[in-house]
Amino acid sequence: MTSKENADEKILDIDLTQEMQDSFLEYSYSVIYARALPDARDGLKPVHRRIIYQMGEMGLRPDRGHVKSARVTGEVMGKLHPHGDGAIYDALVRMAQAFTLRVPLIDGHGNFGSLDDGPAAARYTEVRLSNASLLMNEGLDEDVVDFKPNYDAQLTEPEVLPAAFPNLLVNGSSGIAVGMATNMPPHNLREVVAAAIHLLEHPESTTKQLMKFVPGPDLPNGGIIMGLDGVKEAYESGKGSFKTRARVSVESVSARKLGLVVTELPYLIGPEKVIEKIKDGVNAKKLLGISDVIDLTDRTNGLKLVIELKTGFDPQVVLDLLYRFTPMEDSFGINNVALVDGRPATLGLKDMLNVYLTHRLSVIRRRSVNRLGKREARMHLIEGLLIAVLNIDEVIQVIRTSDEVDEARSKLRKVFELSELQAEYILELRLRRLTKFSQIELESEKSQLEAEIKELKRILGSKEALNKVVITELEEVAQKYGDARRTTLIADFEEVKPMSVSKMAGIDGQLADSPSVVRVSATGLISRIDTAELSTVVGTKRKRHDVTMCRISTTTRSDIGFVTSSGRIVRIHVADIPATSDPTDLSGGAKAAEFLGLSKKERLLHAIELGEATELAIATKLGTVKRLTADWPAKNDFEIISLKPGDEVIGACNADDSMEFVLVSSDSQLLRFKCDTVRPQGRGASGVAGINLAAGSYAVFFGSVMPDDVVLTAANNSAALPSTDPGSAKLSALEEFPAKGRATGGVRSHKFIRNEDQIYFAWAGNRNYLASTSDGKPIDLELENSKRDSSGTKLSSTIGAIGSV
């Protein structure tokens, strides 16, 4: 290095600490004022403001076609926002997402993402301004806001947008700056406008009074806000928090299974995130009673998550666990930090409304001044034109006698007492404008301008008039673009607090093991009665004419087995059986065919509690009898007998060695034999011979009896159509029929008369019985005891069932 080069060197000693402080402060200032915090007036950060403004300059109105997002991103980046295109596109996407903003500012076409997935690239999506964005840009050409140079001083951009609605409150905002952050929830447009109008009319209003109009946030995806104490605190001080919960209903997701159906989730929580947390909770044994989660969400019907519950679990207990361990309950921290006069400030509800109203009043005032100036200037020209029209010949003469334009202008001003502007305007006009018809138009325009000028002066001359304009325009915006509240607010609630895994292990999510009664009616209705309601049944007249075919005293944690004619048992948990709202009304409950999933030809015969000591006996149409050991598999559906082709189960009852069985055949034979003569068998066995049947006959009834029971039989003509021939019925004491051995023919139980040739209905049981038709209508059977081999009494209706109340 030469001596000359050493002389040219200039080395500065800089204190590193001071340099770091200065650089950090400059960086912090840039982040706070130019990136992360919104302006309290229009609720926009610089990047959002520049996007909306530039799209307006590009003419991307709602009534025009969409353009590629990449084109918008490039225009904004090249002219106004010298940052990465990724940041610009992210801001553009957020303004187009209906699940993020309460009133979207961008009308997007294409994949703009979801709560669980990001958007497509900018080259694939298309955008244009929404109607709400037109409100944000409204009046920019009327000098309503100040403009400033862009980053290279080649163009200008607005410092703030006119904002015809309170965007900061309506759409909220979020951002992280240096040493501070902002997080504001969205609100309902109509509610915010109502509060703003009230505050404008009553400046002394308190936050409590304003909350009558804005009771709380209104989130885009709905949900439920639990507790308003944090909201009130945030509206007062600018900081607070509130809890949001998913909207959940308990529904029957299938004929025999309950589920939790989620239709709304907390703000910015997606269904995939919830499903993932549910699966993690189930695997970690934190969540009890959940069998499956199905996502039925689509664009047509919106969000729908179906959480299927295991049998016997209380839906409310499971829901409380979901609130504890999944994002179905989430907390939102409010931190209302925004720029006011270029400085960050923490704002309450009244503060935010005041800042917006001050801005809006300034916009309306400047717009009115601008419009007044334009109309007064136009009025000045119109007045000059009218003078020229009334003196057209003199005007032409003055112009013709002038050698130069300046001379003509001077003569016009002197002769007609015109201003220089008026004289210049007359010289530039074509002669055809100076006609009689033109005079009429000018006079009409003058009258209109006079009225407009008077109105604008009235607005500018009165604070009340200026306020009225602001109020009227806000009301129009709320009416046109507002909608109903989506989020439900609940003031008082019992908080579901977090719980340790050790405490969680002690939770019993199952239903309380309370006594219940399960009923099966003659018309095939299955219902459950809680013990507390059971006392109302006894001694009460039934409301409907159905009868109870089977009644089981059990508990809510037990399983009931429903025996069908196809030789199978359908297992149902007692808690899954619909509870009847009125125990005296047998019309309540579920239809067996749908509830149990029976085929068209399959009938429900009997119901038993599937306990370890419960034994079942069944008989088939071909005369086979079978007793089953209490070996019930842990299945929802299982076979209990191996049937021959053409055979079916015709009756089932509880089995006990002390009982007797009764079988009745279609040819009027009744067989009574001891229960202990039938050896219990496994489910796969075919049973043993019960009654010997004559050719062409078949068994019509099977049941267990006690010594003092009675037997009822009904006979008719087999050739008659079903339910058209009631036939005759006969009642006899059981003791009239001698007991015989199993696998014999029995004795005759009914003497056929006239055209009778078959027993179409038979029953044996307690003397206190009720009869009904197959559709539940009552039948009054006034039958006296008869000999076993006597004929019956004529019936008015076909017997379909016999049971008790």
Side-chain angles (χ1 to χ4, degrees):
M1 184 178 294
T2 65
S3 59
K4 184 179 180 180
E5 290 174 337
N6 288 331
D8 293 339
E9 279 187 348
K10 188 176 181 181
I11 300 175
L12 298 176
D13 291 330
I14 298 175
D15 182 63
L16 182 60
T17 303
Q18 185 64 38
E19 178 65 20
M20 289 293 293
Q21 289 178 351
D22 294 343
S23 297
F24 184 76
L25 286 174
E26 185 176 349
Y27 166 73
S28 302
Y29 182 89
S30 174
V31 171
I32 291 171
Y33 294 95
R35 293 193 188 183
L37 298 183
D39 192 296
R41 294 170 290 178
D42 61 6
L44 297 173
K45 300 178 186 178
V47 63
H48 300 114
R49 186 179 303 113
R50 288 163 177 165
I51 290 172
I52 293 175
Y53 170 70
Q54 188 59 40
M55 289 181 68
E57 291 294 293
M58 295 169 65
L60 303 180
R61 299 173 56 85
D63 55 353
R64 299 185 181 179
H66 296 78
V67 301
K68 288 290 185 182
S69 300
R71 177 181 167 189
V72 174
T73 302
E75 286 282 320
V76 174
M77 181 172 59
K79 294 183 177 180
L80 303 176
H81 198 69
H83 299 281
D85 58 341
I88 299 173
Y89 184 56
D90 287 345
L92 180 70
V93 166
R94 183 182 185 276
M95 290 192 292
Q97 293 174 333
F99 53 82
T100 301
L101 300 188
R102 192 61 177 81
V103 180
L105 301 177
I106 300 295
D107 179 9
H109 182 250
N111 178 15
F112 280 83
S114 67
L115 289 167
D116 296 304
D117 298 313
R123 61 183 178 274
Y124 298 121
T125 60
E126 298 177 339
V127 292
R128 65 184 178 191
L129 291 175
S130 68
N131 290 317
S133 288
L134 295 184
L135 299 176
M136 299 296 293
N137 280 337
E138 191 176 60
L140 278 175
D141 57 346
E142 296 184 284
D143 190 33
V144 295
V145 294
D146 293 332
F147 279 70
K148 62 181 181 180
N150 70 332
Y151 65 91
D152 60 0
Q154 298 295 313
L155 302 169
T156 59
E157 61 175 309
E159 291 183 354
V160 65
L161 293 184
F165 68 95
N167 179 62
L168 182 65
L169 272 166
V170 171
N171 281 325
S173 183
S174 63
I176 300 175
V178 177
M180 61 184 66
T182 184
N183 198 32
M184 305 183 189
H187 291 77
N188 184 274
L189 175 59
R190 291 178 180 172
E191 295 176 354
V192 172
V193 166
I197 292 174
H198 180 79
L199 183 60
L200 193 59
E201 294 175 338
H202 306 87
E204 72 287 350
S205 297
T206 63
T207 302
K208 184 177 181 180
Q209 292 171 334
L210 293 176
M211 285 188 67
K212 294 179 180 179
F213 302 94
V214 185
D218 187 23
L219 308 175
N221 54 334
I224 303 172
I225 292 179
M226 308 298 295
L228 299 179
D229 291 341
V231 174
K232 294 176 183 176
E233 182 183 354
Y235 286 169
E236 287 282 0
S237 65
K239 291 186 177 182
S241 65
F242 60 87
K243 289 186 179 294
T244 57
R245 283 184 179 178
R247 193 178 300 278
V248 186
S249 60
V250 180
E251 300 180 12
S252 296
V253 296
S254 67
R256 290 174 278 162
K257 184 170 286 188
L258 290 176
L260 301 174
V261 179
V262 183
T263 53
E264 295 174 8
L265 287 172
Y267 186 44
L268 300 181
I269 298 297
E272 291 184 10
K273 183 177 181 181
V274 173
I275 293 173
E276 181 183 354
K277 290 295 183 180
I278 290 176
K279 290 181 178 178
D280 292 343
V282 171
N283 293 335
K285 307 299 183 183
K286 293 181 179 179
L287 298 178
L288 307 174
I290 298 175
S291 62
D292 195 10
V293 182
I294 304 172
D295 187 2
L296 301 178
T297 304
D298 57 39
R299 293 185 178 181
T300 303
N301 301 311
L303 174 70
K304 187 173 183 180
L305 280 181
V306 179
I307 304 172
E308 294 186 355
L309 302 182
K310 293 180 180 178
T311 297
F313 278 82
D314 188 344
Q316 188 57 51
V317 173
V318 177
L319 185 57
D320 287 345
L321 292 174
L322 288 170
Y323 287 148
R324 283 192 178 99
F325 298 110
T326 73
M328 284 176 60
E329 178 177 282
D330 195 32
S331 181
F332 188 98
I334 301 176
N335 191 23
N336 296 330
V337 178
L339 297 177
V340 180
D341 297 329
R343 295 175 176 271
T346 303
L347 307 173
L349 175 62
K350 184 176 180 179
D351 299 327
M352 288 187 283
L353 290 173
N354 271 326
V355 171
Y356 171 75
L357 289 173
T358 302
H359 168 63
R360 193 61 190 164
L361 287 167
S362 173
V363 168
I364 300 300
R365 184 181 296 107
R366 291 181 61 166
R367 185 185 70 186
S368 299
V369 170
N370 181 272
R371 290 177 178 179
L372 179 61
K374 289 181 178 179
R375 280 154 180 76
E376 287 180 337
R378 178 63 180 169
M379 174 67 79
H380 185 63
L381 296 178
I382 293 298
E383 290 173 345
L385 281 176
L386 284 172
I387 293 173
V389 170
L390 293 174
N391 303 278
I392 183 64
D393 294 334
E394 290 85 347
V395 170
I396 294 174
Q397 182 64 29
V398 168
I399 296 174
R400 288 184 64 182
T401 58
S402 301
D403 294 331
E404 295 180 354
V405 174
D406 290 341
E407 183 182 352
R409 185 186 301 112
S410 298
K411 287 182 177 180
L412 285 173
R413 293 185 62 186
K414 183 177 181 181
V415 173
F416 300 105
E417 297 181 354
L418 300 174
S419 68
E420 184 176 351
L421 188 63
Q422 288 173 324
E424 183 67 30
Y425 189 65
I426 291 171
L427 287 173
E428 292 179 355
L429 276 178
R430 294 181 180 181
L431 286 176
R432 66 182 182 183
R433 289 288 308 276
L434 304 177
T435 62
K436 184 177 181 180
F437 183 71
S438 178
Q439 180 182 351
I440 296 173
E441 290 180 346
L442 292 173
E443 289 177 346
S444 176
E445 185 178 354
K446 181 183 178 181
S447 299
Q448 182 179 350
L449 286 171
E450 287 174 344
E452 291 177 355
I453 290 171
K454 182 180 179 181
E455 176 63 19
L456 289 169
K457 287 183 177 179
R458 186 189 69 84
I459 293 173
L460 292 170
S462 169
K463 181 181 178 182
E464 290 74 16
L466 189 64
N467 288 352
K468 183 61 178 177
V469 174
V470 174
I471 290 172
T472 301
E473 293 186 358
L474 283 174
E475 287 176 340
E476 291 175 355
V477 169
Q479 178 66 28
K480 188 173 182 180
Y481 299 102
D483 58 6
R485 165 171 282 275
R486 300 176 188 174
T487 302
T488 302
L489 304 177
I490 298 180
D492 301 319
F493 81 108
E494 184 177 348
E495 185 175 0
V496 180
K497 297 181 179 179
M499 181 180 294
S500 64
V501 177
S502 59
K503 289 185 178 180
M504 187 277 305
I507 290 180
D508 185 3
Q510 292 187 333
L511 292 167
D513 196 15
S514 57
S516 296
V517 172
V518 175
R519 296 187 308 188
V520 179
S521 76
T523 55
L525 294 176
I526 302 172
S527 60
R528 186 184 87 241
I529 310 173
D530 295 332
T531 308
E533 300 174 348
L534 189 58
S535 60
T536 62
V537 179
V538 180
T540 303
K541 186 177 180 181
R542 49 187 174 150
K543 293 183 179 180
R544 294 292 296 270
H545 304 304
D546 208 346
V547 297
T548 301
M549 296 291 295
C550 184
R551 185 197 305 266
I552 303 172
S553 296
T554 181
T555 64
T556 50
R557 288 189 182 178
S558 301
D559 287 340
I560 300 297
F562 293 91
V563 185
T564 74
S565 59
S566 64
R568 67 185 181 113
I569 285 181
V570 180
R571 178 193 292 267
I572 300 293
H573 196 77
V574 173
D576 292 338
I577 298 174
T580 180
S581 58
D582 185 354
T584 65
D585 189 355
L586 286 177
S587 62
K591 294 182 179 180
E594 299 174 2
F595 188 68
L596 302 177
L598 305 183
S599 62
K600 290 184 178 181
K601 295 183 178 180
E602 197 172 12
R603 296 176 292 112
L604 174 61
L605 301 176
H606 188 58
I608 60 169
E609 184 175 4
L610 296 178
E612 296 180 355
T614 304
E615 290 190 8
L616 176 69
I618 58 176
T620 72
K621 188 176 182 179
L622 298 182
T624 300
V625 177
K626 180 178 179 181
R627 281 179 67 184
L628 289 99
T629 55
D631 179 21
W632 315 119
K635 296 180 180 179
N636 293 333
D637 185 348
F638 52 89
E639 300 291 335
I640 55 174
I641 188 173
S642 179
L643 292 173
K644 297 178 181 179
D647 201 2
E648 65 175 342
V649 178
I650 53 99
C653 60
N654 291 50
D656 188 306
D657 285 345
S658 63
M659 295 180 176
E660 288 184 312
F661 289 149
V662 168
L663 269 166
V664 181
S665 66
S666 60
D667 60 351
S668 186
Q669 295 300 113
L670 183 148
L671 178 61
R672 173 184 173 191
F673 58 95
K674 289 286 188 181
C675 178
D676 57 11
T677 61
V678 182
R679 177 176 54 86
Q681 295 178 307
R683 290 181 294 106
S686 301
V688 296
I691 184 173
N692 286 339
L693 297 172
S697 63
Y698 53 88
V700 296
F701 171 80
F702 170 74
S704 58
V705 292
M706 301 299 289
D708 58 348
D709 283 348
V710 295
V711 177
L712 187 148
T713 54
N716 69 358
N717 192 315
S718 60
L721 293 174
S723 301
T724 61
D725 180 12
S728 63
K730 181 183 73 71
L731 185 70
S732 302
L734 180 63
E735 60 187 18
E736 290 283 333
F737 303 90
K740 289 196 173 186
R742 179 182 59 81
T744 60
V747 297
R748 191 164 70 169
S749 62
H750 192 117
K751 182 180 179 182
F752 295 144
I753 58 174
R754 293 182 292 276
N755 295 325
E756 296 174 351
D757 63 356
Q758 70 165 0
I759 297 294
Y760 73 88
F761 181 85
W763 172 83
N766 191 278
R767 293 178 180 273
N768 297 320
Y769 62 87
L770 294 172
S772 72
T773 61
S774 58
D775 58 358
K777 295 180 181 179
I779 300 176
D780 293 327
L781 293 180
E782 297 180 359
L783 302 175
E784 299 292 339
N785 279 3
S786 304
K787 297 296 183 179
R788 66 173 180 83
D789 195 24
S790 61
S791 58
T793 303
K794 189 67 176 177
L795 292 173
S796 60
S797 300
T798 304
I799 299 177
I802 290 182
S804 61
V805 177

